[in-house]
Amino acid sequence: MVSLYSTGLELGNLLLGSDLLDHSWDAISKLQKETFLEDPSLPFSVKYQVYEYPTKFSIIAFVCSPNYAVNHLQEEFKELVSLDEITSFDFLCTKSSSSISLHKAAFTLFASLENDLPLLKQQFTSSQPLIVTGHSLGGSVASLFTLWLLNSLPRYGVQRLLCITFGSPLLGNNGFQKAISESQTWSSCFLHVVSNTDPIPGFLISDLNANLTNPSCYMPFGTYLFCSGSGFSCFEEPQSILELLMIMSSTCAESENLNNCSQVIDYGHSLEQLKSKAVCRGISELPDSISNPLQAGTYLLLEATRFGKLQENVNLSDLAMNIAIRAKIQAKHKQKVFDPVKRLSITKTSMSYLEWYMKNSLEEAGYYDKYKTRRSRSRDEIESTESLIKHHRTLKLFWKRIVTEVENLPWKEGRKLRMRYLYAATSYRRMVEPLDIAEYYGRGKKDYVSHGRSEHYKLLEKWSTDEDIHTYQRSQASSLTVDSCFWAYVEEALISCEVLKDGKSSLEDQESARGNLIKFEDYVMDMINNFLVSPEIFLPQSSFMLWWKEYCIVVGNSSASPLSNFMKDEFHRYV
């Protein structure tokens, strides 16, 4: 929602100048009057209502019974519940964010609507946008419903869904925040409006440092619109939001405000006041320490919301600089993670070099064996190989980082990126992994697939398997051998031939070697029949042809297997 060098001024002006916030708060106010305010003795519960605005959008509003305040804020309000104990949101779990916890009171309210969720889901149509909104704990339920809905929507639907909360408390821990924030599309669906007179949004914060390091503490997510009688400010970097929430909440005596939590803050009045202030503000009388436009914009936003007045020991200049630095880091991180086209452009030079090296290897041995025997070659060939090694390492570092980032996303979001990276990732794996195999066996090691293969290759192979990338029928040989572990199987077959030739091997080892060779022969024939191997494997001095010569010696020329018949009569046609 915020561009690389935006501090939220443009976004704040846009939101306050539109009717989205007004309509959302009007829906909440109407629902509150129709239910809880007429009967404040209703038990702890959540109510919802659907409001239609033909040709514009639909709104689903959630509000919570007002008498939750004293009991739930003082007793169980801070309690977290782990996703290990619930399954409704296990789609948020990732490898890096498996420890995810939700606000128990909010989840309890959301779970009470379980039977109504399918009906509410029907309110989302492809014809017009849907706004999900809520106040206080009702806002937490609105956020949970939005997440639940996002997980079930097709990609195009995400662009027509927006969650707007007013005075909502924090909803989950570090893992929860990270799971949402790592998804650019999901994170941009949430806007939280917070008044400086509302104690609820900052109530769950106990200590800033604890929240940044302790997985059992709460963290914000999405975009926050802070508002006061004097102005507004808009931020999305979580650490900065947490710091600002602490400043706002520390200005109120906790005990006094908890006794008045059932009193609804009139966000409608605040929005009306802010509309007149939603104009471009000039830069004037900035401190000398402010050194760039991003810091200046941040300073003006903080000044407009009077953050410097809320706490005596707050240095507004330092606060603005810290927030600006974190915002810039966050924006650059998102730009790297969510722009596959730009990121892949980094690898073009290295991939081009590998392609050149491969084409210049098609003489007698081929790509794999030229690299494998690089140390015994001429000076010029050694220099070209050294360049290849540098590009090889560059590509490995790049793809290891990509795989880690994608695998750490929630499954649905991760799949979208996997699909965008899949073609480049598959080409990389087929070109680069053979070089790793050559290095591995060049050091005298065995069993690469079980003991030497990098985890990122396994995951990249799983990506292509999950998407069933090879469903089409080939009619000609592949330019790259499809199985990137092919040469590892060739090396193991060579080792098995050595075992059978070695008179010192035990009978058990010899039987195992024969079994392995039979499996390898079947594997190769299957690859050939489906045109899944490159013609380069049949070059005279390739490791595969070396294996075939050794294999013929071991089994004798009388063998009449399919592979034997192919190698005698047909392999020249394949080449």
Side-chain angles (χ1 to χ4, degrees):
M1 294 182 76
V2 182
S3 62
L4 182 57
Y5 293 107
S6 168
T7 59
L9 177 59
E10 299 90 346
L11 178 60
N13 282 331
L14 176 64
L15 290 168
L16 289 166
S18 72
D19 56 2
L20 294 179
L21 299 182
D22 290 327
H23 281 304
S24 298
W25 182 253
D26 287 346
I28 290 170
S29 299
K30 189 182 297 185
L31 181 56
Q32 287 172 334
K33 290 176 183 178
E34 291 172 354
T35 54
F36 298 122
L37 294 185
E38 294 181 2
D39 186 5
S41 63
L42 287 172
F44 179 61
S45 59
V46 64
K47 298 293 182 183
Y48 68 87
Q49 185 60 261
V50 179
Y51 299 93
E52 300 286 349
Y53 295 83
T55 72
K56 281 190 172 183
F57 44 73
S58 299
I59 292 180
I60 302 177
F62 294 88
V63 296
C64 183
S65 52
N67 71 339
Y68 74 85
V70 176
N71 290 337
H72 289 275
L73 285 180
Q74 292 181 343
E75 295 175 10
E76 64 179 273
F77 194 80
K78 291 188 176 183
E79 189 174 346
L80 285 159
V81 58
S82 170
L83 289 195
D84 295 336
E85 303 174 48
I86 55 178
T87 58
S88 308
F89 294 92
D90 55 5
F91 60 84
L92 290 173
C93 288
T94 67
K95 290 185 177 180
S96 65
S97 300
S98 56
S99 179
I100 296 176
S101 297
L102 297 174
H103 182 199
K104 183 176 180 180
F107 177 77
T108 301
L109 289 170
F110 174 80
S112 70
L113 301 175
E114 182 177 3
N115 295 332
D116 299 331
L117 294 179
L119 180 63
L120 285 174
K121 183 179 177 181
Q122 293 177 12
Q123 298 302 317
F124 181 86
T125 66
S126 58
S127 59
Q128 63 182 30
L130 175 65
I131 296 175
V132 183
T133 190
H135 171 252
S136 198
L137 262 183
S140 297
V141 176
S143 292
L144 291 175
F145 173 72
T146 302
L147 282 171
W148 178 84
L149 193 57
L150 282 170
N151 186 54
S152 62
L153 289 180
R155 187 173 184 179
Y156 66 83
V158 176
Q159 299 173 358
R160 291 191 289 278
L161 179 63
L162 177 63
C163 178
I164 301 174
T165 72
F166 296 87
S168 177
L170 298 179
L171 185 54
N173 69 344
N174 280 324
F176 177 75
Q177 177 271 323
K178 185 175 181 181
I180 298 173
S181 297
E182 286 295 323
S183 168
Q184 188 180 39
T185 52
W186 286 11
S187 182
S188 64
C189 290
F190 295 90
L191 173 70
H192 308 286
V193 184
V194 173
S195 169
N196 68 328
T197 60
D198 194 341
I200 300 301
F203 174 75
L204 295 173
I205 305 171
S206 55
D207 178 78
L208 179 60
N209 293 324
N211 276 278
L212 294 177
T213 58
N214 191 339
S216 66
C217 294
Y218 288 87
M219 282 290 286
F221 67 95
T223 302
Y224 271 68
L225 178 65
F226 293 95
C227 56
S228 69
S230 59
F232 62 89
S233 54
C234 206
F235 299 94
E236 69 168 357
E237 198 281 314
Q239 184 176 344
S240 301
I241 293 169
L242 197 67
E243 191 170 351
L244 297 177
L245 285 172
M246 282 194 69
I247 293 172
M248 293 185 96
S249 63
S250 65
T251 61
C252 304
E254 187 175 285
S255 59
E256 290 181 11
N257 282 283
L258 286 180
N259 292 328
N260 296 314
C261 280
S262 59
Q263 296 179 7
V264 177
I265 301 295
D266 188 358
Y267 278 89
H269 178 68
S270 298
L271 293 175
E272 193 63 35
Q273 284 185 311
L274 291 176
K275 275 193 172 184
S276 62
K277 303 181 188 301
V279 294
C280 294
R281 289 165 282 195
I283 299 179
S284 61
E285 296 184 4
L286 290 171
D288 294 336
S289 57
I290 298 298
S291 59
N292 61 55
L294 183 60
Q295 293 175 4
T298 306
Y299 182 90
L300 290 172
L301 285 174
L302 295 173
E303 187 180 51
T305 329
R306 293 187 176 272
F307 275 106
K309 308 290 185 182
L310 295 177
Q311 217 176 76
E312 291 183 2
N313 61 344
V314 172
N315 185 310
L316 204 59
S317 299
D318 292 343
L319 183 61
M321 286 190 288
N322 291 335
I323 290 176
I325 290 170
R326 290 195 291 260
K328 189 173 180 179
I329 292 172
Q330 182 195 37
K332 286 185 175 179
H333 171 72
K334 284 188 175 183
Q335 197 174 52
K336 288 180 179 180
V337 174
F338 298 107
D339 194 344
V341 176
K342 285 187 177 180
R343 299 194 77 180
L344 288 174
S345 65
I346 300 172
T347 69
K348 283 184 178 179
T349 301
S350 294
M351 288 296 287
S352 296
Y353 190 89
L354 262 68
E355 290 171 0
W356 172 85
Y357 187 89
M358 179 179 291
K359 288 178 181 178
N360 283 273
S361 303
L362 300 178
E363 298 169 357
E364 293 187 349
Y367 176 59
Y368 173 79
D369 286 282
K370 182 178 179 180
Y371 186 77
K372 182 181 175 183
T373 58
R374 62 192 182 278
R375 293 180 180 85
S376 61
R377 295 185 171 268
S378 68
R379 181 181 181 85
D380 289 342
E381 288 179 316
I382 290 174
E383 288 179 357
S384 67
T385 305
E386 287 176 349
S387 295
L388 179 67
I389 292 171
K390 292 178 182 178
H391 290 296
H392 172 204
R393 290 172 180 168
T394 298
L395 288 167
K396 278 188 70 174
L397 288 172
F398 173 85
W399 280 104
K400 282 184 176 182
R401 185 164 58 249
I402 290 290
V403 170
T404 299
E405 290 173 355
V406 174
E407 287 294 313
N408 284 338
L409 290 170
W411 183 85
K412 190 171 183 179
E413 289 299 299
R415 187 178 182 222
K416 292 175 186 176
L417 275 180
R418 283 195 291 272
M419 291 291 290
R420 296 191 68 181
Y421 280 124
L422 188 56
Y423 177 80
T426 303
S427 297
Y428 155 77
R429 177 171 55 85
R430 292 174 183 170
M431 290 183 73
V432 175
E433 188 166 16
L435 306 183
D436 283 16
I437 293 170
E439 288 183 348
Y440 185 84
Y441 285 96
R443 294 194 293 268
K445 296 185 178 182
K446 299 179 181 179
D447 200 0
Y448 167 85
V449 174
S450 298
H451 302 299
R453 197 180 192 199
S454 172
E455 186 65 24
H456 84 290
Y457 287 134
K458 298 176 186 177
L459 290 169
L460 289 175
E461 185 174 23
K462 186 176 184 299
W463 290 7
S464 62
T465 302
D466 288 346
E467 301 304 329
D468 207 10
I469 197 173
H470 308 305
T471 52
Y472 63 91
Q473 185 68 39
R474 290 180 177 273
S475 59
Q476 60 183 13
S478 172
S479 59
L480 286 170
T481 297
V482 169
D483 186 350
S484 56
C485 286
F486 174 82
W487 292 106
Y489 298 129
V490 171
E491 296 288 354
E492 291 299 320
L494 281 166
I495 292 172
S496 293
C497 286
E498 289 297 320
V499 170
L500 292 178
K501 287 170 62 179
D502 182 8
K504 298 179 182 180
S505 300
S506 66
L507 291 176
E508 183 179 355
D509 287 342
Q510 291 187 16
E511 284 300 314
S512 176
R514 286 192 184 91
N516 291 336
L517 288 169
I518 292 171
K519 289 179 182 177
F520 178 68
E521 190 175 349
D522 292 341
Y523 161 78
V524 171
M525 202 61 232
D526 182 67
M527 295 280 284
I528 291 171
N529 287 336
N530 290 287
F531 298 99
L532 299 178
V533 289
S534 169
E536 73 164 333
I537 75 168
F538 300 111
L539 291 172
Q541 294 182 17
S542 75
S543 291
F544 176 78
M545 294 302 288
L546 174 62
W547 166 78
W548 177 246
K549 292 174 184 176
E550 293 294 319
Y551 186 57
C552 288
I553 295 172
V554 170
V555 300
N557 294 325
S558 60
S559 173
S561 67
L563 181 59
S564 178
N565 292 332
F566 173 84
M567 294 300 292
K568 288 176 183 177
D569 305 320
E570 300 180 42
F571 87 90
H572 292 290
R573 280 181 283 174
Y574 192 96
V575 175

